[in-house]
Amino acid sequence: MNLIELLKSQVSDHVISSLSQKAGVSEDQVKTGFAAGIPAVLGGILKNGAGSDPGILAKILPNLSGTGAVAESTPEDLLSGSEDSLLDKGKSLLGGLFGNDAGAVTSALSTSTGLSAEKSLGLMAMIAPLVIGFITKTMAGKGWNFSDLLGKIFESKQEITAALPQGLSDSLGLANLSLPKVEIPKVAIPKVEVPKVDLPKVPPVNYGTVQDTKSGGGFLKWLIPLLIIIIGAWWIMGRSGCNKSTVGNPTDSLSSKVDSMGTKMDSAGSSMKAGAAAAGSTIAGKLNEAGDFVRDLGAKTDKKLPDGTVISIGENSVENRLIAFIEDKNKPVDKTTWFTFDRLYFETGKSTLKAESQEQLKNMVAILKAYPEVNLKLGGYTDNTGDAAINKKISNERANAAMQELVKSGVDPKRLEAEGYGAEHPIASNDTADGKAQNRRIDIRVTKK
């Protein structure tokens, strides 16, 4: 679970209801406000923490900048206090976090919620202190200090950028932010001076004139130089062996580990490519005139659901495969089993669903109502054309748009979640128009059954 989802999970029904009454807006508008406010506050913290004066955050958020997080006011305390008190805290916080960009934040919230600028400012001012309270609780629960928090926010920068209302990412300048560089001191490895050892000088030996080739003088003539050579060779080999044991082994070990790691990564990359290619090759269908990939769904059949509802679906359709998965008790819920919507299409470059998508959405609503214990996650994906951050943003907007259509038709929002992944996890090659169309998709995963 990324940092945004971690904070969203703390936004209870009680918080939404209480804030709705204080701000004088609907509960749906409060939910939309949190969806925009959480990434906005995280972006503001990151912008200030990665700026030229990271210490400014200590002044803006003194309760977060120590070695551990101690909440100045818990979300419960803030909600139980007066409306004016919460507003005052929030306006001061917005000014400190966003400075001249505070207007852009409330304007983006106004566009997302449909509220007036004044109402949006009031709602955002109430949301900001609550989000800081949720962050503080999370830090205390996980034992993070402020540096840990900044690192976690930086790790989630792509998700934060994708979740921000349109245009706000550019205003905050998150794309070009990087954490302050930490200079790691260089540790000089001490040079080991090898002491020079002088070999004893052997005085010249005068063997005199050899009178008798059978005498022992010839043997002594060669024995002493031979001993000197053997002693010198033994000393040199001993020193070489010592150096190898202390320096060579760690280097050899490190080299072998790097080589091993590289082999594993190459192997994993090959497996992923092979898997994607295999997945792409099994999808039957063709492009239509609008550039959408139309899958071959097979013969139509009427499927009767547990609540008596009958839906008409193809034998190869996602509805048929999803129902089979739900009803199969031997197939557990996991994080790798995804099903691709085969009749869900969007306007080019937008998160607006085309009219022909309604049939499949209605079938999904019927399935969710017939299986009330089932929860789903929707994942949005794009092809690899264009900027990665923009692709992730639009994929997130599309996943949320599909989720909202299900909610409008009566599905409890607590049973659903959505996330955009951009061009990640392609199911076909991006080298062809057919492959690109297949990769522009919405997938679903059962998170509970």
Side-chain angles (χ1 to χ4, degrees):
M1 183 180 291
N2 65 38
L3 190 54
I4 293 176
E5 296 300 324
L6 195 63
L7 296 176
K8 278 184 179 178
S9 68
Q10 298 183 50
V11 183
S12 65
D13 291 340
H14 170 67
V15 170
I16 292 170
S17 175
S18 299
L19 198 55
S20 171
Q21 294 173 20
K22 282 183 177 292
V25 298
S26 71
E27 291 190 1
D28 283 341
Q29 287 168 329
V30 172
K31 290 177 184 177
T32 304
F34 271 113
I38 288 174
V41 170
L42 291 174
I45 293 174
L46 180 59
K47 180 180 180 180
N48 285 283
S52 58
D53 181 16
I56 194 172
L57 275 173
K59 302 171 187 175
I60 301 170
L61 306 170
N63 56 312
L64 290 186
S65 57
T67 54
V70 180
E72 188 178 274
S73 299
T74 66
E76 293 76 13
D77 293 338
L78 290 168
L79 287 171
S80 62
S82 69
E83 177 184 333
D84 290 340
S85 173
L86 184 56
L87 270 173
D88 290 341
K89 280 181 178 290
K91 288 178 180 178
S92 173
L93 184 57
L94 290 178
L97 273 178
F98 302 109
N100 295 332
D101 294 321
V105 174
T106 53
S107 175
L109 184 62
S110 176
T111 303
S112 299
T113 59
L115 292 170
S116 67
E118 184 180 357
K119 281 281 188 184
S120 296
L121 174 59
L123 179 59
M124 189 63 198
M126 291 185 181
I127 284 174
L130 293 173
V131 174
I132 293 298
F134 297 143
I135 292 173
T136 310
K137 282 180 66 176
T138 301
M139 291 173 69
K142 294 187 174 292
W144 294 347
N145 59 28
F146 191 60
S147 296
D148 296 330
L149 174 66
L150 269 182
K152 295 294 180 183
I153 296 176
F154 189 77
E155 287 174 9
S156 303
K157 189 173 76 167
Q158 280 194 327
E159 288 80 5
I160 292 168
T161 301
L164 284 170
Q166 191 169 5
L168 192 53
S169 174
D170 293 335
S171 297
L172 296 179
L174 297 186
N176 299 320
L177 288 183
S178 58
L179 286 179
K181 292 182 180 179
V182 178
E183 295 294 335
I184 301 173
K186 295 181 180 179
V187 179
I189 300 174
K191 293 182 179 180
V192 179
E193 295 291 338
V194 180
K196 293 181 179 179
V197 179
D198 294 326
L199 290 176
K201 294 181 180 180
V202 180
V205 179
N206 185 5
Y207 297 99
T209 305
V210 178
Q211 299 292 334
D212 187 357
T213 57
K214 293 183 180 181
S215 70
F219 173 73
L220 290 175
K221 179 179 179 180
W222 296 107
L223 176 61
I224 294 175
L226 183 62
L227 286 175
I228 293 171
I229 292 170
I230 291 173
I231 291 170
W234 171 82
W235 179 84
I236 293 170
M237 290 176 66
R239 297 300 299 175
S240 175
C242 177
N243 288 338
K244 185 175 180 180
S245 65
T246 58
V247 178
N249 288 346
T251 306
D252 294 344
S253 173
L254 178 60
S255 176
S256 66
K257 288 178 181 177
V258 171
D259 290 343
S260 173
M261 186 183 297
T263 302
K264 290 178 182 177
M265 289 174 70
D266 290 343
S267 174
S270 300
S271 299
M272 288 174 70
K273 290 177 183 176
S281 64
T282 61
I283 300 174
K286 61 182 180 180
L287 285 179
N288 62 13
E289 292 181 357
D292 297 320
F293 190 80
V294 180
R295 286 170 170 76
D296 179 8
L297 303 180
K300 280 262 187 175
T301 181
D302 288 339
K303 180 73 175 180
K304 187 174 183 179
L305 302 176
D307 64 351
T309 303
V310 177
I311 58 175
S312 180
I313 55 177
E315 61 183 353
N316 300 327
S317 67
V318 66
E319 294 98 318
N320 199 29
R321 290 182 288 116
L322 177 63
I323 292 169
F325 179 83
I326 292 170
E327 293 182 343
D328 191 339
K329 295 180 179 178
N330 294 321
K331 290 185 177 179
V333 170
D334 57 38
K335 293 189 176 183
T336 58
T337 305
W338 291 81
F339 302 91
T340 300
F341 276 106
D342 40 52
R343 300 186 307 287
L344 213 59
Y345 305 117
F346 293 87
E347 299 289 346
T348 303
K350 301 179 181 178
S351 57
T352 306
L353 283 157
K354 292 184 177 180
E356 55 263 40
S357 305
Q358 292 303 317
E359 179 196 4
Q360 186 154 56
L361 288 169
K362 288 177 182 176
N363 285 345
M364 279 297 159
V365 171
I367 292 170
L368 285 166
K369 288 182 177 179
Y371 298 92
E373 298 301 315
V374 170
N375 291 352
L376 296 179
K377 178 171 185 177
L378 289 80
Y381 302 88
T382 66
D383 59 32
N384 66 348
T385 304
D387 181 74
I390 294 174
N391 285 340
K392 197 151 195 175
K393 180 177 175 61
I394 196 169
S395 68
N396 191 65
E397 291 173 349
R398 287 178 172 180
N400 277 280
M403 181 178 73
Q404 288 305 318
E405 286 296 316
L406 300 178
V407 171
K408 286 179 187 176
S409 299
V411 179
D412 187 344
K414 293 179 184 176
R415 298 173 61 192
L416 303 171
E417 55 182 312
E419 186 175 355
Y421 299 95
E424 296 176 28
H425 316 299
I427 58 173
S429 170
N430 276 308
D431 295 333
T432 65
D434 278 26
K436 285 179 180 290
Q438 291 175 52
N439 289 330
R440 297 190 297 269
R441 69 195 192 278
I442 300 292
D443 287 359
I444 52 173
R445 176 170 66 84
V446 176
T447 58
K448 180 188 174 188
K449 70 174 183 174

mmCIF file of all heavy atoms in Angstrom, residues 4 8 11 29-40 109 112 127 160 163-165 400:
data_model
loop_
_atom_site.group_PDB
_atom_site.id
_atom_site.type_symbol
_atom_site.label_atom_id
_atom_site.label_comp_id
_atom_site.label_asym_id
_atom_site.label_seq_id
_atom_site.Cartn_x
_atom_site.Cartn_y
_atom_site.Cartn_z
ATOM 1 N N ILE A 4 -0.234 7.358 -0.194
ATOM 2 C CA ILE A 4 -1.545 7.978 -0.380
ATOM 3 C C ILE A 4 -2.649 7.054 0.119
ATOM 4 O O ILE A 4 -3.557 7.464 0.846
ATOM 5 C CB ILE A 4 -1.767 8.337 -1.865
ATOM 6 C CG1 ILE A 4 -0.801 9.445 -2.289
ATOM 7 C CG2 ILE A 4 -3.203 8.788 -2.111
ATOM 8 C CD1 ILE A 4 -0.890 9.801 -3.755
ATOM 9 N N LYS A 8 -5.395 7.564 3.058
ATOM 10 C CA LYS A 8 -6.824 7.486 2.722
ATOM 11 C C LYS A 8 -7.554 6.496 3.624
ATOM 12 O O LYS A 8 -8.728 6.690 3.955
ATOM 13 C CB LYS A 8 -6.995 7.065 1.257
ATOM 14 C CG LYS A 8 -6.850 8.193 0.265
ATOM 15 C CD LYS A 8 -7.145 7.677 -1.143
ATOM 16 C CE LYS A 8 -7.037 8.778 -2.181
ATOM 17 N NZ LYS A 8 -7.288 8.253 -3.560
ATOM 18 N N VAL A 11 -9.297 7.893 6.632
ATOM 19 C CA VAL A 11 -10.448 8.797 6.469
ATOM 20 C C VAL A 11 -11.723 7.980 6.676
ATOM 21 O O VAL A 11 -12.251 7.371 5.751
ATOM 22 C CB VAL A 11 -10.447 9.458 5.078
ATOM 23 C CG1 VAL A 11 -11.592 10.455 4.951
ATOM 24 C CG2 VAL A 11 -9.116 10.157 4.813
ATOM 25 N N GLN A 29 -18.469 15.457 -1.895
ATOM 26 C CA GLN A 29 -17.508 16.553 -2.115
ATOM 27 C C GLN A 29 -16.358 16.497 -1.113
ATOM 28 O O GLN A 29 -15.221 16.831 -1.437
ATOM 29 C CB GLN A 29 -18.233 17.898 -2.043
ATOM 30 C CG GLN A 29 -19.107 18.167 -3.269
ATOM 31 C CD GLN A 29 -20.051 19.339 -3.080
ATOM 32 O OE1 GLN A 29 -20.501 19.627 -1.965
ATOM 33 N NE2 GLN A 29 -20.363 20.025 -4.178
ATOM 34 N N VAL A 30 -16.653 16.041 0.109
ATOM 35 C CA VAL A 30 -15.591 15.855 1.109
ATOM 36 C C VAL A 30 -14.638 14.752 0.647
ATOM 37 O O VAL A 30 -13.409 14.893 0.736
ATOM 38 C CB VAL A 30 -16.180 15.520 2.492
ATOM 39 C CG1 VAL A 30 -15.051 15.135 3.461
ATOM 40 C CG2 VAL A 30 -16.954 16.699 3.055
ATOM 41 N N LYS A 31 -15.201 13.650 0.115
ATOM 42 C CA LYS A 31 -14.357 12.546 -0.374
ATOM 43 C C LYS A 31 -13.457 13.018 -1.513
ATOM 44 O O LYS A 31 -12.259 12.709 -1.550
ATOM 45 C CB LYS A 31 -15.238 11.390 -0.849
ATOM 46 C CG LYS A 31 -15.971 10.655 0.268
ATOM 47 C CD LYS A 31 -16.882 9.573 -0.307
ATOM 48 C CE LYS A 31 -17.690 8.898 0.798
ATOM 49 N NZ LYS A 31 -18.639 7.904 0.253
ATOM 50 N N THR A 32 -14.052 13.798 -2.440
ATOM 51 C CA THR A 32 -13.256 14.334 -3.543
ATOM 52 C C THR A 32 -12.184 15.282 -3.011
ATOM 53 O O THR A 32 -11.046 15.318 -3.507
ATOM 54 C CB THR A 32 -14.162 15.085 -4.537
ATOM 55 O OG1 THR A 32 -15.187 14.199 -4.989
ATOM 56 C CG2 THR A 32 -13.366 15.591 -5.731
ATOM 57 N N GLY A 33 -12.562 16.046 -1.963
ATOM 58 C CA GLY A 33 -11.602 16.961 -1.351
ATOM 59 C C GLY A 33 -10.413 16.232 -0.759
ATOM 60 O O GLY A 33 -9.258 16.662 -0.922
ATOM 61 N N PHE A 34 -10.655 15.116 -0.075
ATOM 62 C CA PHE A 34 -9.551 14.322 0.490
ATOM 63 C C PHE A 34 -8.710 13.696 -0.629
ATOM 64 O O PHE A 34 -7.487 13.608 -0.518
ATOM 65 C CB PHE A 34 -10.077 13.225 1.416
ATOM 66 C CG PHE A 34 -10.223 13.664 2.841
ATOM 67 C CD1 PHE A 34 -11.472 13.777 3.428
ATOM 68 C CD2 PHE A 34 -9.114 13.987 3.608
ATOM 69 C CE1 PHE A 34 -11.613 14.189 4.750
ATOM 70 C CE2 PHE A 34 -9.240 14.396 4.927
ATOM 71 C CZ PHE A 34 -10.499 14.493 5.494
ATOM 72 N N ALA A 35 -9.379 13.228 -1.718
ATOM 73 C CA ALA A 35 -8.650 12.617 -2.834
ATOM 74 C C ALA A 35 -7.656 13.608 -3.437
ATOM 75 O O ALA A 35 -6.577 13.221 -3.904
ATOM 76 C CB ALA A 35 -9.623 12.131 -3.899
ATOM 77 N N ALA A 36 -8.010 14.907 -3.430
ATOM 78 C CA ALA A 36 -7.096 15.937 -3.945
ATOM 79 C C ALA A 36 -6.192 16.496 -2.849
ATOM 80 O O ALA A 36 -5.020 16.806 -3.091
ATOM 81 C CB ALA A 36 -7.902 17.069 -4.573
ATOM 82 N N GLY A 37 -6.736 16.618 -1.635
ATOM 83 C CA GLY A 37 -6.003 17.252 -0.536
ATOM 84 C C GLY A 37 -4.839 16.438 -0.019
ATOM 85 O O GLY A 37 -3.784 16.996 0.315
ATOM 86 N N ILE A 38 -4.985 15.111 0.047
ATOM 87 C CA ILE A 38 -3.899 14.268 0.566
ATOM 88 C C ILE A 38 -2.652 14.382 -0.312
ATOM 89 O O ILE A 38 -1.565 14.696 0.181
ATOM 90 C CB ILE A 38 -4.362 12.802 0.730
ATOM 91 C CG1 ILE A 38 -5.339 12.691 1.916
ATOM 92 C CG2 ILE A 38 -3.168 11.865 0.937
ATOM 93 C CD1 ILE A 38 -5.974 11.324 2.080
ATOM 94 N N PRO A 39 -2.748 14.150 -1.651
ATOM 95 C CA PRO A 39 -1.530 14.313 -2.466
ATOM 96 C C PRO A 39 -1.023 15.755 -2.491
ATOM 97 O O PRO A 39 0.183 15.987 -2.604
ATOM 98 C CB PRO A 39 -1.968 13.847 -3.863
ATOM 99 C CG PRO A 39 -3.453 13.923 -3.872
ATOM 100 C CD PRO A 39 -3.883 13.660 -2.474
ATOM 101 N N ALA A 40 -1.955 16.734 -2.371
ATOM 102 C CA ALA A 40 -1.510 18.136 -2.379
ATOM 103 C C ALA A 40 -0.658 18.454 -1.152
ATOM 104 O O ALA A 40 0.397 19.091 -1.254
ATOM 105 C CB ALA A 40 -2.723 19.064 -2.438
ATOM 106 N N LEU A 109 -9.030 22.340 -6.476
ATOM 107 C CA LEU A 109 -10.049 21.655 -5.681
ATOM 108 C C LEU A 109 -11.439 22.100 -6.120
ATOM 109 O O LEU A 109 -12.375 21.295 -6.191
ATOM 110 C CB LEU A 109 -9.841 21.948 -4.193
ATOM 111 C CG LEU A 109 -10.776 21.213 -3.230
ATOM 112 C CD1 LEU A 109 -10.583 19.710 -3.352
ATOM 113 C CD2 LEU A 109 -10.523 21.647 -1.791
ATOM 114 N N SER A 112 -12.350 20.194 -9.179
ATOM 115 C CA SER A 112 -12.626 18.772 -8.903
ATOM 116 C C SER A 112 -13.983 18.573 -8.243
ATOM 117 O O SER A 112 -14.697 17.602 -8.527
ATOM 118 C CB SER A 112 -11.538 18.187 -8.012
ATOM 119 O OG SER A 112 -10.285 18.261 -8.615
ATOM 120 N N ILE A 127 -9.370 20.387 5.584
ATOM 121 C CA ILE A 127 -8.775 19.089 5.263
ATOM 122 C C ILE A 127 -7.288 19.054 5.626
ATOM 123 O O ILE A 127 -6.785 18.050 6.155
ATOM 124 C CB ILE A 127 -8.972 18.770 3.760
ATOM 125 C CG1 ILE A 127 -10.429 18.339 3.512
ATOM 126 C CG2 ILE A 127 -8.015 17.677 3.289
ATOM 127 C CD1 ILE A 127 -10.753 18.140 2.046
ATOM 128 N N ILE A 160 1.892 10.515 -6.273
ATOM 129 C CA ILE A 160 1.381 11.821 -5.839
ATOM 130 C C ILE A 160 1.081 12.697 -7.052
ATOM 131 O O ILE A 160 0.013 13.310 -7.144
ATOM 132 C CB ILE A 160 2.399 12.520 -4.912
ATOM 133 C CG1 ILE A 160 2.509 11.757 -3.581
ATOM 134 C CG2 ILE A 160 2.004 13.969 -4.650
ATOM 135 C CD1 ILE A 160 3.677 12.198 -2.719
ATOM 136 N N ALA A 163 -2.071 11.582 -8.772
ATOM 137 C CA ALA A 163 -3.308 11.785 -8.006
ATOM 138 C C ALA A 163 -3.703 13.253 -7.877
ATOM 139 O O ALA A 163 -4.836 13.562 -7.509
ATOM 140 C CB ALA A 163 -3.149 11.173 -6.611
ATOM 141 N N LEU A 164 -2.773 14.180 -8.175
ATOM 142 C CA LEU A 164 -3.080 15.609 -8.053
ATOM 143 C C LEU A 164 -4.097 16.044 -9.101
ATOM 144 O O LEU A 164 -4.106 15.503 -10.213
ATOM 145 C CB LEU A 164 -1.810 16.433 -8.219
ATOM 146 C CG LEU A 164 -0.835 16.458 -7.036
ATOM 147 C CD1 LEU A 164 0.472 17.118 -7.461
ATOM 148 C CD2 LEU A 164 -1.436 17.212 -5.854
ATOM 149 N N PRO A 165 -4.967 16.998 -8.780
ATOM 150 C CA PRO A 165 -5.870 17.546 -9.793
ATOM 151 C C PRO A 165 -5.072 18.107 -10.967
ATOM 152 O O PRO A 165 -3.917 18.506 -10.818
ATOM 153 C CB PRO A 165 -6.615 18.663 -9.044
ATOM 154 C CG PRO A 165 -6.527 18.289 -7.608
ATOM 155 C CD PRO A 165 -5.204 17.597 -7.443
ATOM 156 N N ASN A 400 -10.304 5.660 -12.024
ATOM 157 C CA ASN A 400 -11.259 6.275 -11.108
ATOM 158 C C ASN A 400 -12.587 6.600 -11.790
ATOM 159 O O ASN A 400 -13.650 6.506 -11.176
ATOM 160 C CB ASN A 400 -10.655 7.540 -10.492
ATOM 161 C CG ASN A 400 -9.759 7.233 -9.308
ATOM 162 O OD1 ASN A 400 -10.226 7.011 -8.196
ATOM 163 N ND2 ASN A 400 -8.451 7.201 -9.539
#
